[in-house]
Amino acid sequence: MKADQYVVIGNPVAHSKSPAIHARFAELTSQQLDYQRLLAPLDGFGATVRDFVAKGGKGANVTLPFKLEAFALATELSERAKIAGAVNTLKFEPGRIYGDNTDGMGLVADIVRNAGVNLRGKRLLLLGAGGAARGALLPLLQEQPAALTIANRTLAKAQDLLQQANSLSDRCELQTCRFEDLQQPFDVIINATSASINDDVPPLAATVFSKETLAYDMMYAAAPTAFLRLAVSHGAQCRDGLGMLVEQAAEAFALWRSVRPPSGQVLAEMRAALLASQA
Ligand code: NDP
C-alpha cells in the first residue's frame, strides 16, 4: 500500500528541516508516511495545495510566505489558528481542509517541558509583534503568567496584539512599550523579532536581564544569535528555537497521525547534527 503523503510548502523551501524531522518521527513511531518539500510559486499557493490534495495528499506544513494564505484556504480552523490569524499545519479530509497553528504550542512545549521552566506566575517579555509573536500569544497566556509585556519596533502593532491579549486573559497584567523603554528584569524574554536573521538585536537595556532570566530566541543557528550573545553577556540563561521547530512539528504529527512522537529524542539528534555541521 502507498504510504500517506505529506509535504512542507514554502518559497523558498529547500532549507526546511521538516522532512528530516518527520521522517525520524515516522521511524520512531512505526508510521508509514512519505514527507517531501514542495516549492509553491509565490502566486500559486492555492493551486499547489489543490493539486497535492487531488493526488491524495493527507497533510501539509506551511512556511513563509504562505501562512496567511493557508489561514484563508482552510475550511475549518483551530481556536489557536483563529487567534494567530495564520496557519502552519493543514490536514486534508474529504470535503474539509482543517487549519491549525502549532508554532506557539511548540514554543511553550520547548520552554516548559524541554527547558523545565514553568511560566505560571512569571513575568514575560515578548519582543516582536509579527506572525510568530501572534501565534505565541494564546499558548503563552494559557500558562497563566503574572505579567506579559509586548515590545515592538512599530508600537502600533504591539498595541494591536495587546488588544487581542486583553480579550484572552483577565488575570495577566498586560502592557506594551518600545524596546528603549524597558528597564525592569524579566523571568523569560522571548525574541520573536526577525532581527536575528541579520545578526541584529533590538536595543535592550542590560537591566532587563538577570542571571535567573531565560532568554529565548525563536531563531536557531549553529552559533548563538546576536540576541543570545547579548543575553549571555548579561548573565542570562539562553535557548534557541530549534526545540520550538521540533515541538511544532511533533504537534502537527500528532494531529495527522494521532500518535505523539518522541520529540525530546529527535531534538537531541537535531542538535547534535547542527553542531556537527559546524565542526
Ligand atoms: P514577521 O516578519 O511576521 O515579524 C517580524 C517581527 O520582527 C516584527 O515584529 C518586526 O517589527 C520585527 N523586526 C524585524 N527586524 C527588526 C529589527 N532589526 N529590530 C527589531 N525588530 C525587528 O516574522 P515572524 O514573526 O514570522 O518570524 C519572527 C522570527 O521567528 C524569525 O526569526 C523566524 O525565523 C522565527 N520563527 C521560528 C520558528 C521556529 O519554529 N523556531 C517558527 C516561526 C518563526 P516591525 O513590526 O516593527 O516591522
PDB file of all heavy atoms in Angstrom, residues 64 67 103 128-133 152-154 157 179 192-195 197 200 202 218-220 241 244-245 248, ligand 1:
ATOM      1  N   LEU A  64       6.985  30.184   5.388  1.00  0.00           N
ATOM      2  CA  LEU A  64       6.960  31.505   4.748  1.00  0.00           C
ATOM      3  C   LEU A  64       6.934  31.403   3.229  1.00  0.00           C
ATOM      4  O   LEU A  64       7.603  30.512   2.681  1.00  0.00           O
ATOM      5  CB  LEU A  64       8.195  32.308   5.159  1.00  0.00           C
ATOM      6  CG  LEU A  64       8.227  32.739   6.631  1.00  0.00           C
ATOM      7  CD1 LEU A  64       9.553  33.435   6.941  1.00  0.00           C
ATOM      8  CD2 LEU A  64       7.065  33.632   6.984  1.00  0.00           C
ATOM      9  N   LYS A  67       1.679  31.483   5.296  1.00  0.00           N
ATOM     10  CA  LYS A  67       0.864  31.141   6.472  1.00  0.00           C
ATOM     11  C   LYS A  67      -0.483  31.865   6.483  1.00  0.00           C
ATOM     12  O   LYS A  67      -1.468  31.337   6.998  1.00  0.00           O
ATOM     13  CB  LYS A  67       1.646  31.419   7.761  1.00  0.00           C
ATOM     14  CG  LYS A  67       2.824  30.451   7.953  1.00  0.00           C
ATOM     15  CD  LYS A  67       3.523  30.650   9.282  1.00  0.00           C
ATOM     16  CE  LYS A  67       4.750  29.760   9.368  1.00  0.00           C
ATOM     17  NZ  LYS A  67       5.427  29.836  10.667  1.00  0.00           N
ATOM     18  N   ASP A 103       2.859  26.580  16.032  1.00  0.00           N
ATOM     19  CA  ASP A 103       4.112  27.279  16.369  1.00  0.00           C
ATOM     20  C   ASP A 103       4.177  27.688  17.851  1.00  0.00           C
ATOM     21  O   ASP A 103       5.175  27.441  18.531  1.00  0.00           O
ATOM     22  CB  ASP A 103       4.276  28.539  15.501  1.00  0.00           C
ATOM     23  CG  ASP A 103       4.754  28.227  14.091  1.00  0.00           C
ATOM     24  OD1 ASP A 103       5.370  27.173  13.884  1.00  0.00           O
ATOM     25  OD2 ASP A 103       4.489  29.054  13.190  1.00  0.00           O
ATOM     26  N   GLY A 128       8.700  41.705  19.600  1.00  0.00           N
ATOM     27  CA  GLY A 128       8.159  41.493  18.254  1.00  0.00           C
ATOM     28  C   GLY A 128       6.649  41.354  18.294  1.00  0.00           C
ATOM     29  O   GLY A 128       6.069  40.995  19.336  1.00  0.00           O
ATOM     30  N   ALA A 129       6.018  41.673  17.177  1.00  0.00           N
ATOM     31  CA  ALA A 129       4.553  41.587  17.092  1.00  0.00           C
ATOM     32  C   ALA A 129       4.140  41.094  15.709  1.00  0.00           C
ATOM     33  O   ALA A 129       3.072  41.427  15.213  1.00  0.00           O
ATOM     34  CB  ALA A 129       3.936  42.956  17.394  1.00  0.00           C
ATOM     35  N   GLY A 130       5.009  40.292  15.079  1.00  0.00           N
ATOM     36  CA  GLY A 130       4.692  39.716  13.776  1.00  0.00           C
ATOM     37  C   GLY A 130       3.957  38.396  13.926  1.00  0.00           C
ATOM     38  O   GLY A 130       3.356  38.121  14.982  1.00  0.00           O
ATOM     39  N   GLY A 131       4.009  37.585  12.888  1.00  0.00           N
ATOM     40  CA  GLY A 131       3.263  36.324  12.858  1.00  0.00           C
ATOM     41  C   GLY A 131       3.640  35.383  13.990  1.00  0.00           C
ATOM     42  O   GLY A 131       2.768  34.787  14.627  1.00  0.00           O
ATOM     43  N   ALA A 132       4.927  35.255  14.254  1.00  0.00           N
ATOM     44  CA  ALA A 132       5.371  34.300  15.275  1.00  0.00           C
ATOM     45  C   ALA A 132       4.922  34.758  16.666  1.00  0.00           C
ATOM     46  O   ALA A 132       4.507  33.939  17.492  1.00  0.00           O
ATOM     47  CB  ALA A 132       6.886  34.149  15.218  1.00  0.00           C
ATOM     48  N   ALA A 133       4.986  36.067  16.926  1.00  0.00           N
ATOM     49  CA  ALA A 133       4.535  36.603  18.218  1.00  0.00           C
ATOM     50  C   ALA A 133       3.024  36.383  18.373  1.00  0.00           C
ATOM     51  O   ALA A 133       2.550  35.987  19.442  1.00  0.00           O
ATOM     52  CB  ALA A 133       4.865  38.088  18.311  1.00  0.00           C
ATOM     53  N   ASN A 152       7.718  46.194  20.638  1.00  0.00           N
ATOM     54  CA  ASN A 152       7.948  46.083  19.198  1.00  0.00           C
ATOM     55  C   ASN A 152       8.471  47.396  18.647  1.00  0.00           C
ATOM     56  O   ASN A 152       8.197  48.467  19.188  1.00  0.00           O
ATOM     57  CB  ASN A 152       6.644  45.695  18.485  1.00  0.00           C
ATOM     58  CG  ASN A 152       6.902  45.217  17.065  1.00  0.00           C
ATOM     59  OD1 ASN A 152       7.833  44.461  16.825  1.00  0.00           O
ATOM     60  ND2 ASN A 152       6.086  45.659  16.119  1.00  0.00           N
ATOM     61  N   ARG A 153       9.229  47.287  17.546  1.00  0.00           N
ATOM     62  CA  ARG A 153       9.763  48.478  16.871  1.00  0.00           C
ATOM     63  C   ARG A 153       8.617  49.382  16.447  1.00  0.00           C
ATOM     64  O   ARG A 153       8.625  50.582  16.687  1.00  0.00           O
ATOM     65  CB  ARG A 153      10.572  47.989  15.667  1.00  0.00           C
ATOM     66  CG  ARG A 153      11.367  49.015  14.946  1.00  0.00           C
ATOM     67  CD  ARG A 153      12.219  48.341  13.889  1.00  0.00           C
ATOM     68  NE  ARG A 153      11.422  47.575  12.926  1.00  0.00           N
ATOM     69  CZ  ARG A 153      11.932  46.895  11.908  1.00  0.00           C
ATOM     70  NH1 ARG A 153      13.230  46.851  11.731  1.00  0.00           N
ATOM     71  NH2 ARG A 153      11.149  46.247  11.082  1.00  0.00           N
ATOM     72  N   THR A 154       7.598  48.798  15.831  1.00  0.00           N
ATOM     73  CA  THR A 154       6.396  49.561  15.458  1.00  0.00           C
ATOM     74  C   THR A 154       5.374  49.381  16.581  1.00  0.00           C
ATOM     75  O   THR A 154       4.757  48.320  16.701  1.00  0.00           O
ATOM     76  CB  THR A 154       5.825  49.028  14.125  1.00  0.00           C
ATOM     77  OG1 THR A 154       6.890  48.956  13.169  1.00  0.00           O
ATOM     78  CG2 THR A 154       4.705  49.898  13.606  1.00  0.00           C
ATOM     79  N   LYS A 157       1.689  47.984  16.235  1.00  0.00           N
ATOM     80  CA  LYS A 157       1.475  46.533  16.064  1.00  0.00           C
ATOM     81  C   LYS A 157       1.451  45.830  17.415  1.00  0.00           C
ATOM     82  O   LYS A 157       0.697  44.892  17.632  1.00  0.00           O
ATOM     83  CB  LYS A 157       2.580  45.938  15.190  1.00  0.00           C
ATOM     84  CG  LYS A 157       2.382  46.181  13.720  1.00  0.00           C
ATOM     85  CD  LYS A 157       3.187  45.139  12.938  1.00  0.00           C
ATOM     86  CE  LYS A 157       3.724  45.723  11.663  1.00  0.00           C
ATOM     87  NZ  LYS A 157       4.816  44.925  11.098  1.00  0.00           N
ATOM     88  N   PHE A 179      11.236  49.124  22.751  1.00  0.00           N
ATOM     89  CA  PHE A 179      12.400  48.425  23.314  1.00  0.00           C
ATOM     90  C   PHE A 179      13.156  49.341  24.273  1.00  0.00           C
ATOM     91  O   PHE A 179      13.579  48.928  25.346  1.00  0.00           O
ATOM     92  CB  PHE A 179      13.360  47.990  22.198  1.00  0.00           C
ATOM     93  CG  PHE A 179      12.750  47.066  21.176  1.00  0.00           C
ATOM     94  CD1 PHE A 179      12.815  47.355  19.821  1.00  0.00           C
ATOM     95  CD2 PHE A 179      12.118  45.888  21.568  1.00  0.00           C
ATOM     96  CE1 PHE A 179      12.273  46.503  18.878  1.00  0.00           C
ATOM     97  CE2 PHE A 179      11.571  45.020  20.627  1.00  0.00           C
ATOM     98  CZ  PHE A 179      11.643  45.340  19.273  1.00  0.00           C
ATOM     99  N   ALA A 192      10.863  37.246  19.388  1.00  0.00           N
ATOM    100  CA  ALA A 192      10.056  36.841  18.224  1.00  0.00           C
ATOM    101  C   ALA A 192      10.211  37.875  17.114  1.00  0.00           C
ATOM    102  O   ALA A 192       9.370  37.964  16.228  1.00  0.00           O
ATOM    103  CB  ALA A 192       8.585  36.698  18.621  1.00  0.00           C
ATOM    104  N   THR A 193      11.289  38.679  17.181  1.00  0.00           N
ATOM    105  CA  THR A 193      11.580  39.563  16.050  1.00  0.00           C
ATOM    106  C   THR A 193      12.401  38.763  15.037  1.00  0.00           C
ATOM    107  O   THR A 193      12.973  37.727  15.372  1.00  0.00           O
ATOM    108  CB  THR A 193      12.408  40.812  16.451  1.00  0.00           C
ATOM    109  OG1 THR A 193      13.768  40.406  16.685  1.00  0.00           O
ATOM    110  CG2 THR A 193      11.848  41.502  17.668  1.00  0.00           C
ATOM    111  N   SER A 194      12.461  39.274  13.815  1.00  0.00           N
ATOM    112  CA  SER A 194      13.304  38.597  12.821  1.00  0.00           C
ATOM    113  C   SER A 194      14.670  39.277  12.728  1.00  0.00           C
ATOM    114  O   SER A 194      15.409  39.039  11.783  1.00  0.00           O
ATOM    115  CB  SER A 194      12.590  38.575  11.470  1.00  0.00           C
ATOM    116  OG  SER A 194      12.145  39.866  11.134  1.00  0.00           O
ATOM    117  N   ALA A 195      15.018  40.118  13.737  1.00  0.00           N
ATOM    118  CA  ALA A 195      16.307  40.819  13.731  1.00  0.00           C
ATOM    119  C   ALA A 195      17.481  39.845  13.648  1.00  0.00           C
ATOM    120  O   ALA A 195      18.490  40.117  12.991  1.00  0.00           O
ATOM    121  CB  ALA A 195      16.439  41.680  14.986  1.00  0.00           C
ATOM    122  N   ILE A 197      17.936  37.269  12.013  1.00  0.00           N
ATOM    123  CA  ILE A 197      18.250  36.810  10.645  1.00  0.00           C
ATOM    124  C   ILE A 197      19.416  37.625  10.081  1.00  0.00           C
ATOM    125  O   ILE A 197      20.251  37.107   9.357  1.00  0.00           O
ATOM    126  CB  ILE A 197      16.992  36.910   9.744  1.00  0.00           C
ATOM    127  CG1 ILE A 197      15.942  35.902  10.227  1.00  0.00           C
ATOM    128  CG2 ILE A 197      17.335  36.689   8.267  1.00  0.00           C
ATOM    129  CD1 ILE A 197      14.570  36.051   9.606  1.00  0.00           C
ATOM    130  N   ASP A 200      21.222  40.914  14.000  1.00  0.00           N
ATOM    131  CA  ASP A 200      20.917  42.172  14.672  1.00  0.00           C
ATOM    132  C   ASP A 200      20.163  41.853  15.969  1.00  0.00           C
ATOM    133  O   ASP A 200      19.714  40.715  16.163  1.00  0.00           O
ATOM    134  CB  ASP A 200      20.027  43.012  13.718  1.00  0.00           C
ATOM    135  CG  ASP A 200      20.069  44.491  14.050  1.00  0.00           C
ATOM    136  OD1 ASP A 200      20.727  44.868  15.040  1.00  0.00           O
ATOM    137  OD2 ASP A 200      19.408  45.258  13.331  1.00  0.00           O
ATOM    138  N   PRO A 202      17.335  43.823  18.963  1.00  0.00           N
ATOM    139  CA  PRO A 202      16.639  45.039  19.402  1.00  0.00           C
ATOM    140  C   PRO A 202      17.451  45.738  20.498  1.00  0.00           C
ATOM    141  O   PRO A 202      18.148  45.072  21.267  1.00  0.00           O
ATOM    142  CB  PRO A 202      15.306  44.513  19.961  1.00  0.00           C
ATOM    143  CG  PRO A 202      15.125  43.174  19.328  1.00  0.00           C
ATOM    144  CD  PRO A 202      16.507  42.629  19.121  1.00  0.00           C
ATOM    145  N   MET A 218      13.547  32.685  19.042  1.00  0.00           N
ATOM    146  CA  MET A 218      12.814  31.755  18.182  1.00  0.00           C
ATOM    147  C   MET A 218      13.666  31.275  17.010  1.00  0.00           C
ATOM    148  O   MET A 218      13.414  30.231  16.448  1.00  0.00           O
ATOM    149  CB  MET A 218      11.546  32.415  17.647  1.00  0.00           C
ATOM    150  CG  MET A 218      10.457  32.565  18.679  1.00  0.00           C
ATOM    151  SD  MET A 218       8.928  33.005  17.827  1.00  0.00           S
ATOM    152  CE  MET A 218       7.817  33.162  19.209  1.00  0.00           C
ATOM    153  N   MET A 219      14.648  32.093  16.629  1.00  0.00           N
ATOM    154  CA  MET A 219      15.521  31.649  15.559  1.00  0.00           C
ATOM    155  C   MET A 219      16.592  30.712  16.117  1.00  0.00           C
ATOM    156  O   MET A 219      16.946  30.820  17.286  1.00  0.00           O
ATOM    157  CB  MET A 219      16.195  32.844  14.882  1.00  0.00           C
ATOM    158  CG  MET A 219      16.723  32.488  13.518  1.00  0.00           C
ATOM    159  SD  MET A 219      17.582  33.859  12.773  1.00  0.00           S
ATOM    160  CE  MET A 219      19.181  33.118  12.552  1.00  0.00           C
ATOM    161  N   TYR A 220      17.060  29.809  15.288  1.00  0.00           N
ATOM    162  CA  TYR A 220      18.154  28.938  15.713  1.00  0.00           C
ATOM    163  C   TYR A 220      19.227  28.942  14.640  1.00  0.00           C
ATOM    164  O   TYR A 220      18.963  29.193  13.464  1.00  0.00           O
ATOM    165  CB  TYR A 220      17.658  27.502  15.978  1.00  0.00           C
ATOM    166  CG  TYR A 220      17.192  26.832  14.717  1.00  0.00           C
ATOM    167  CD1 TYR A 220      18.079  26.127  13.903  1.00  0.00           C
ATOM    168  CD2 TYR A 220      15.881  26.940  14.313  1.00  0.00           C
ATOM    169  CE1 TYR A 220      17.656  25.538  12.730  1.00  0.00           C
ATOM    170  CE2 TYR A 220      15.445  26.366  13.125  1.00  0.00           C
ATOM    171  CZ  TYR A 220      16.342  25.664  12.348  1.00  0.00           C
ATOM    172  OH  TYR A 220      15.923  25.115  11.178  1.00  0.00           O
ATOM    173  N   GLY A 241      15.637  28.482  19.064  1.00  0.00           N
ATOM    174  CA  GLY A 241      14.326  27.983  18.616  1.00  0.00           C
ATOM    175  C   GLY A 241      14.328  26.613  17.959  1.00  0.00           C
ATOM    176  O   GLY A 241      13.305  26.227  17.378  1.00  0.00           O
ATOM    177  N   MET A 244      11.643  24.620  19.501  1.00  0.00           N
ATOM    178  CA  MET A 244      10.323  25.093  19.049  1.00  0.00           C
ATOM    179  C   MET A 244       9.983  24.455  17.698  1.00  0.00           C
ATOM    180  O   MET A 244       8.868  24.007  17.464  1.00  0.00           O
ATOM    181  CB  MET A 244      10.351  26.617  18.942  1.00  0.00           C
ATOM    182  CG  MET A 244       9.100  27.231  18.360  1.00  0.00           C
ATOM    183  SD  MET A 244       9.258  29.040  18.308  1.00  0.00           S
ATOM    184  CE  MET A 244       7.754  29.482  17.453  1.00  0.00           C
ATOM    185  N   LEU A 245      10.986  24.410  16.823  1.00  0.00           N
ATOM    186  CA  LEU A 245      10.784  23.818  15.496  1.00  0.00           C
ATOM    187  C   LEU A 245      10.390  22.345  15.608  1.00  0.00           C
ATOM    188  O   LEU A 245       9.426  21.893  14.972  1.00  0.00           O
ATOM    189  CB  LEU A 245      12.080  23.950  14.674  1.00  0.00           C
ATOM    190  CG  LEU A 245      12.029  23.318  13.293  1.00  0.00           C
ATOM    191  CD1 LEU A 245      11.232  24.192  12.336  1.00  0.00           C
ATOM    192  CD2 LEU A 245      13.425  23.063  12.743  1.00  0.00           C
ATOM    193  N   GLN A 248       6.822  22.071  17.325  1.00  0.00           N
ATOM    194  CA  GLN A 248       5.668  22.405  16.470  1.00  0.00           C
ATOM    195  C   GLN A 248       5.435  21.297  15.458  1.00  0.00           C
ATOM    196  O   GLN A 248       4.308  20.975  15.104  1.00  0.00           O
ATOM    197  CB  GLN A 248       5.801  23.790  15.801  1.00  0.00           C
ATOM    198  CG  GLN A 248       6.949  23.995  14.810  1.00  0.00           C
ATOM    199  CD  GLN A 248       6.739  23.353  13.449  1.00  0.00           C
ATOM    200  OE1 GLN A 248       5.605  23.182  13.035  1.00  0.00           O
ATOM    201  NE2 GLN A 248       7.818  22.985  12.782  1.00  0.00           N
TER     202      GLN A 248
HETATM  203  P1  NDP B   1       7.381  38.703  10.810  1.00  0.00           P
HETATM  204  O1  NDP B   1       8.003  39.245   9.585  1.00  0.00           O
HETATM  205  O2  NDP B   1       5.937  38.392  10.825  1.00  0.00           O
HETATM  206  O3  NDP B   1       7.650  39.723  12.031  1.00  0.00           O
HETATM  207  C1  NDP B   1       8.918  40.266  12.228  1.00  0.00           C
HETATM  208  C2  NDP B   1       8.979  41.000  13.552  1.00  0.00           C
HETATM  209  O4  NDP B   1      10.335  41.364  13.806  1.00  0.00           O
HETATM  210  C3  NDP B   1       8.182  42.310  13.580  1.00  0.00           C
HETATM  211  O5  NDP B   1       7.686  42.491  14.886  1.00  0.00           O
HETATM  212  C4  NDP B   1       9.258  43.357  13.240  1.00  0.00           C
HETATM  213  O6  NDP B   1       8.977  44.641  13.759  1.00  0.00           O
HETATM  214  C5  NDP B   1      10.444  42.786  13.963  1.00  0.00           C
HETATM  215  N1  NDP B   1      11.741  43.187  13.433  1.00  0.00           N
HETATM  216  C6  NDP B   1      12.248  42.916  12.211  1.00  0.00           C
HETATM  217  N2  NDP B   1      13.507  43.404  12.089  1.00  0.00           N
HETATM  218  C7  NDP B   1      13.791  44.010  13.272  1.00  0.00           C
HETATM  219  C8  NDP B   1      14.939  44.688  13.772  1.00  0.00           C
HETATM  220  N3  NDP B   1      16.029  44.847  13.037  1.00  0.00           N
HETATM  221  N4  NDP B   1      14.890  45.156  15.027  1.00  0.00           N
HETATM  222  C9  NDP B   1      13.792  44.987  15.792  1.00  0.00           C
HETATM  223  N5  NDP B   1      12.664  44.362  15.377  1.00  0.00           N
HETATM  224  C10 NDP B   1      12.671  43.866  14.132  1.00  0.00           C
HETATM  225  O7  NDP B   1       8.272  37.403  11.172  1.00  0.00           O
HETATM  226  P2  NDP B   1       7.793  36.121  12.003  1.00  0.00           P
HETATM  227  O8  NDP B   1       7.008  36.591  13.158  1.00  0.00           O
HETATM  228  O9  NDP B   1       7.200  35.117  11.099  1.00  0.00           O
HETATM  229  O10 NDP B   1       9.202  35.491  12.484  1.00  0.00           O
HETATM  230  C11 NDP B   1       9.950  36.065  13.543  1.00  0.00           C
HETATM  231  C12 NDP B   1      11.115  35.150  13.918  1.00  0.00           C
HETATM  232  O11 NDP B   1      10.639  33.911  14.446  1.00  0.00           O
HETATM  233  C13 NDP B   1      12.025  34.765  12.733  1.00  0.00           C
HETATM  234  O12 NDP B   1      13.367  34.834  13.178  1.00  0.00           O
HETATM  235  C14 NDP B   1      11.645  33.336  12.425  1.00  0.00           C
HETATM  236  O13 NDP B   1      12.740  32.613  11.890  1.00  0.00           O
HETATM  237  C15 NDP B   1      11.293  32.825  13.820  1.00  0.00           C
HETATM  238  N6  NDP B   1      10.386  31.657  13.808  1.00  0.00           N
HETATM  239  C16 NDP B   1      10.843  30.476  14.331  1.00  0.00           C
HETATM  240  C17 NDP B   1      10.052  29.349  14.349  1.00  0.00           C
HETATM  241  C18 NDP B   1      10.591  28.068  14.916  1.00  0.00           C
HETATM  242  O14 NDP B   1       9.932  27.023  14.773  1.00  0.00           O
HETATM  243  N7  NDP B   1      11.718  28.074  15.603  1.00  0.00           N
HETATM  244  C19 NDP B   1       8.681  29.365  13.810  1.00  0.00           C
HETATM  245  C20 NDP B   1       8.267  30.680  13.307  1.00  0.00           C
HETATM  246  C21 NDP B   1       9.113  31.762  13.306  1.00  0.00           C
HETATM  247  P3  NDP B   1       8.036  45.691  12.966  1.00  0.00           P
HETATM  248  O15 NDP B   1       6.622  45.324  13.305  1.00  0.00           O
HETATM  249  O16 NDP B   1       8.444  46.994  13.511  1.00  0.00           O
HETATM  250  O17 NDP B   1       8.341  45.527  11.492  1.00  0.00           O
END
